Amino acid sequence: MSQTITIDPVTRLEGHGKITIHLNDQGEVENANFHVTQVRGFERFSDGRPFYEMPSLMARICGICPVSHLIASAKACEAIMAVRIPHTAAQLRRMLNLAQMVQSHALSFFYLASPDLLLGMESDPVQRNILGVAAAKPELGRAGVGLRRFGQHIIELLGSKRIHTGWVVPGGVTEPLSSPKRDEILAMIPEAHKNLRLAIDAYKQIAASFKAEIDVFANFPTNYLGLVNEDESIEFTDGALRLIDAKGVTIEDGMTATRFTEAIGEAVEPYSYTKFAYYKPLGYPEGSYRVGPLARLNIVGRMGTPQADVELAEFKQLALGPVESSFHYHHARLVEMLYGIEKIEEILSDPKILDTHVRATAGVNRLEGAGQAEAPRGTLAHNYKVDENGKMLWANLVIATGQNNNAMNRGVLQAAKHYVKDGKFTEGLLNRIEAVVRTFDPCLSCSTHAFGQMPLEVSLIDAGGELIDRVVRG
Amino acid sequence: MARPGFLGGEFTLTVSSNPARCLILACGNTLRSDDGVGLRLAEWAEERFQENDNVRIVARQQWTPDLAEEIAAAESVLFVDSSIKSLPGHVCLVPVEPCAHPYGAATHRLDPDELLRLTHELYGSRSAHSMLLTVGAGSTEMGEALSDSVQAALPRARGVLEKTVLRFLEN
């Protein structure tokens, strides 16, 4: 008799989701789905608001990566205003976005993933959390806290608040950077480097012991999308998008935010509130692709900072073409954090960073605008339509988790097929299936533009549709 | 230091750049009625101890693992929160010890005893005094106003907070 396993909630993620695993009459995994089970509807309630309110409204979608929403939204507004923001404002935003990336990646790596990585996938679930990590590897726990503080304090120094700052506005930022704040950030750089080096060294020591997981954690060819600069270096705030195929061949380059809205479609599946993004010229699901740290490192030729370039070269040794296993998202996050720290120092070394001209002004000059940025977990795009008075008529947001949705589902299926045999499974095996989702660090609140913690459910369903087993957490 | 808009929810008051002897760690959400009482008490404490370099006040929507670093730097810590387990308006002050065994998923949000345990594991330090001050919530529905019972309890809660902090500083 066929069966279904349910994991509900999936833990150590941002938001609510569950996994169902369908077994056939022989007890073999036939299908598996990752369901996002919450909905909020930000695109609807922006209707009728003045467009210049959009950045601060949209930032409320998320408490982890509000900066990315602020920036993508402000850029969409600037497309409507048809303005180019001052150089200093662009650099300050770039620094803010990098600070957010560092603190978000630190949360993902140290708080959410490291219990699996440092304590083991089969370790006691009671201990498999940040407290367990603190007991086993206090120096790494302190490094994680330190890197979170580094990123969050920069955000607070620039925007006066750690979360939901109103500093980024259409046209630039509200205030310039002061010299004392610049010096305070620069003084934090050495400690951040030290903490990150500790994490990179620790990860490299243990990564080889996860070869079995690397083999089946969403390890398959896909397309990859991310922002890149003209000099082939990585970009989080400006630049243009590049889409490559599974062999690393460029499918489309120089994709602007406007082009993104034309080229990317969103499919709907009945089991999830999150849409499934795909590249329209290739159709769905063939045009599905991955975004985020793994994708970004796959599409760029260089990071653009000295130490991160060394780490990127080592990362690219993991495969002949694009690195395919989503397990390597963890590694990619560490390389990006290193880049973030180096780049912040570079930005602050530019004397123009203290320039006081940080905002351009204009009214409505176009009736539609699109903006894009890299959120920690991948490409984020906002697209707005307004009337002549600047009132919002329509909004569409394409977020990272929707763009990774197809790969996450395929990854869950791949892992389930590997770990569930004869309808039998253990907690440790189910944890591995959850861990596949964790590698992507999805933000389900963002993906449905909804709010909540991330409990998860795994269901085991038989061929007749009957529920055989169900694990619920949360 | 000028503090950001209080209704934004979170703030950190840094009276002195040196580690403070007493840390007030408040948590709550001012958009969920009585759940915001901890942040309102923190706001009051900010005024009350404005001139006192030995007091540091941190207000958050939830207590996250990062706060272990703040706790490790202080001699004493007073957690301030609302409680849905107490009767509406009931003011309660209890000592907190590090939990013996972790019991939650412990990622985005920690309880005071888990935070103390985490602080001890990470930094090897234990606060000389750690207390939890709670005010029983009457309503946690959407809204910025406190319920009548919690509003009425504010003077008593402020008094307990003040007395506790002053006692911490005396020791």
Side-chain angles (χ1 to χ4, degrees):
Chain A
M1 193 176 75
S2 57
Q3 305 175 332
T4 296
I5 308 169
T6 302
I7 304 176
D8 185 7
V10 178
T11 55
R12 285 185 270 137
L13 299 178
E14 314 288 354
H16 290 268
K18 70 172 181 177
I19 291 170
T20 53
I21 302 164
H22 301 265
L23 308 183
N24 62 18
D25 291 342
Q26 288 71 49
E28 292 163 347
V29 173
E30 204 160 72
N31 198 9
N33 295 122
F34 174 55
H35 311 251
V36 181
T37 55
Q38 50 185 60
V39 69
R40 199 157 156 209
F42 264 75
E43 287 153 342
R44 292 299 298 165
F45 67 66
S46 62
D47 280 4
R49 305 304 309 170
F51 81 92
Y52 51 79
E53 284 185 358
M54 288 299 283
S56 49
L57 267 180
M58 292 298 106
R60 261 62 182 183
I61 290 170
C62 188
I64 302 293
C65 53
V67 167
S68 311
H69 285 284
L70 271 173
I71 290 173
S73 179
K75 290 174 77 176
C77 293
E78 285 145 12
I80 288 168
M81 297 155 74
V83 293
R84 191 169 181 178
I85 70 169
H87 168 77
T88 299
Q91 288 291 78
L92 288 170
R93 283 185 186 181
R94 180 170 280 112
M95 180 163 57
L96 187 77
N97 206 17
L98 292 171
Q100 177 197 245
M101 179 268 286
V102 171
Q103 69 86 13
S104 176
H105 279 4
L107 191 155
S108 172
F109 184 81
F110 291 97
Y111 295 2
L112 308 183
S114 75
D116 294 330
L117 300 177
L118 298 174
L119 307 177
M121 299 281 177
E122 299 277 347
S123 59
D124 180 357
V126 175
Q127 300 289 335
R128 207 169 51 216
N129 53 47
I130 183 69
L131 286 166
V133 170
K137 303 274 182 189
E139 69 285 1
L140 278 173
R142 289 193 297 271
V145 169
L147 284 163
R148 285 268 294 160
R149 171 172 36 76
F150 172 78
Q152 289 187 314
H153 194 51
I154 292 173
I155 295 169
E156 191 171 21
L157 284 170
L158 294 174
S160 299
K161 287 171 74 179
R162 294 180 318 131
I163 304 171
H164 300 147
T165 171
W167 183 64
V168 175
V169 290
V173 296
T174 55
E175 280 181 47
L177 178 67
S178 69
S179 173
K181 284 183 179 176
R182 178 195 58 185
D183 296 345
E184 188 172 345
I185 297 170
L186 283 170
M188 295 192 292
I189 299 277
E191 188 203 1
H193 271 299
K194 195 175 145 202
N195 284 332
L196 189 63
R197 184 47 59 188
L198 202 64
I200 290 174
D201 291 347
Y203 178 82
K204 286 180 180 173
Q205 277 179 13
I206 58 170
S209 64
F210 288 93
K211 188 181 177 309
E213 285 80 8
I214 290 168
D215 285 346
V216 295
F217 273 31
N219 187 13
F220 40 67
T222 60
N223 306 309
Y224 302 93
L225 180 84
L227 284 176
V228 61
N229 288 311
E230 284 180 2
D231 67 359
E232 293 295 309
S233 63
I234 198 166
E235 179 57 67
F236 286 80
T237 308
D238 293 316
L241 289 167
R242 171 180 294 165
L243 180 71
I244 63 168
D245 69 12
K247 291 190 172 143
V249 177
T250 299
I251 300 172
E252 183 166 341
D253 213 354
M255 201 188 293
T256 61
T258 303
R259 170 63 187 150
F260 180 92
T261 64
E262 296 162 359
I264 303 300
E266 293 180 283
V268 175
E269 296 284 4
Y271 55 83
S272 181
Y273 282 121
T274 296
K275 295 174 192 169
F276 292 70
Y278 65 101
Y279 182 63
K280 283 183 191 170
L282 296 178
Y284 176 77
E286 289 73 17
S288 300
Y289 54 90
R290 275 183 271 189
V291 294
L294 182 77
R296 288 190 287 253
L297 265 56
N298 276 335
I299 64 150
V300 299
R302 51 195 283 264
M303 297 300 285
T305 57
Q307 292 183 50
D309 272 332
V310 172
E311 293 297 333
L312 177 68
E314 192 176 329
F315 180 86
K316 285 189 179 281
Q317 295 297 311
L318 292 168
L320 289 174
V323 177
E324 292 184 344
S325 173
S326 283
F327 191 91
H328 295 305
Y329 267 100
H330 298 309
H331 189 167
R333 259 175 218 115
L334 294 170
V335 179
E336 287 193 340
M337 278 194 271
L338 179 56
Y339 164 79
I341 297 165
E342 287 186 291
K343 192 70 183 176
I344 286 170
E345 185 173 20
E346 183 189 305
I347 290 170
L348 289 173
S349 304
D350 178 356
K352 287 183 186 163
I353 200 66
L354 300 179
D355 200 291
T356 55
H357 178 48
V358 291
R359 189 171 183 181
T361 54
V364 177
N365 289 306
R366 292 187 190 129
L367 299 180
E368 183 170 359
Q372 61 194 14
E374 286 291 334
R377 34 199 67 74
T379 308
L380 170 68
H382 284 221
N383 187 15
Y384 306 151
K385 289 179 183 171
V386 298
D387 67 14
E388 290 81 355
N389 299 313
K391 276 194 183 171
M392 289 292 299
L393 298 175
W394 176 86
N396 189 43
L397 280 57
V398 183
I399 52 78
T401 299
Q403 294 171 82
N404 278 330
N405 211 1
N406 189 273
M408 279 194 291
N409 274 275
R410 285 179 64 196
V412 165
L413 177 60
Q414 183 182 45
K417 279 188 168 173
H418 182 80
Y419 291 118
V420 179
K421 303 287 185 196
D422 301 325
K424 295 190 178 83
F425 57 91
T426 63
E427 192 282 334
L429 294 180
L430 289 187
N431 180 47
R432 285 179 170 85
I433 298 170
E434 286 185 62
V436 173
V437 181
R438 282 185 209 118
T439 62
F440 290 87
D441 188 27
C443 181
L444 309 186
S445 299
C446 279
S447 71
T448 57
H449 322 321
F451 169 78
Q453 294 179 351
M454 178 60 189
L456 190 133
E457 169 188 311
V458 176
S459 298
L460 187 53
I461 300 168
D462 68 20
E466 199 168 315
L467 183 72
I468 297 187
D469 203 349
R470 189 165 173 244
V471 183
V472 179
R473 278 188 280 200
Chain B
M1 178 179 123
R3 81 183 146 80
F6 175 69
L7 287 177
E10 299 195 339
F11 67 88
T12 303
L13 176 69
T14 311
V15 177
S16 159
S17 57
N18 299 319
R21 289 178 55 205
C22 173
L23 173 69
I24 298 175
L25 211 46
C27 132
N29 183 347
T30 55
L31 301 177
R32 296 301 292 260
S33 310
D34 292 344
D35 188 40
V37 70
L39 301 189
R40 289 174 193 279
L41 288 168
E43 185 185 37
W44 177 83
E46 182 190 327
E47 299 291 330
R48 168 64 183 81
F49 298 107
Q50 198 166 21
E51 307 297 325
N52 195 329
D53 283 358
N54 289 314
V55 180
R56 178 170 167 81
I57 301 157
V58 175
R60 293 282 184 265
Q61 289 197 336
Q62 55 190 6
W63 288 317
T64 56
D66 317 319
L67 292 167
E69 199 175 43
E70 294 272 3
I71 295 171
E75 288 176 13
S76 304
V77 57
L78 176 62
F79 296 93
V80 185
D81 197 4
S82 66
S83 169
I84 53 170
K85 292 177 185 162
S86 304
L87 289 172
H90 179 67
V91 178
C92 184
L93 181 71
V94 292
V96 191
E97 291 291 323
C99 66
H101 305 287
Y103 46 84
T107 51
H108 295 73
R109 179 193 71 76
L110 296 178
D111 285 337
D113 58 344
E114 290 176 305
L115 252 181
L116 292 177
R117 164 79 182 260
L118 182 65
T119 306
H120 182 60
E121 299 284 10
L122 288 180
Y123 303 99
S125 62
R126 289 186 75 144
S127 305
H129 307 280
S130 44
M131 307 284 284
L132 170 64
L133 169 65
T134 58
V135 181
S139 167
T140 54
E141 294 303 310
M142 296 287 185
E144 295 183 63
L146 297 177
S147 67
D148 291 345
S149 47
V150 170
Q151 188 69 44
L154 275 181
R156 176 166 156 66
R158 288 176 188 142
V160 173
L161 186 154
E162 181 179 39
K163 211 180 272 183
T164 307
V165 170
L166 293 175
R167 204 172 68 228
F168 282 173
L169 295 176
E170 277 170 16
N171 291 320

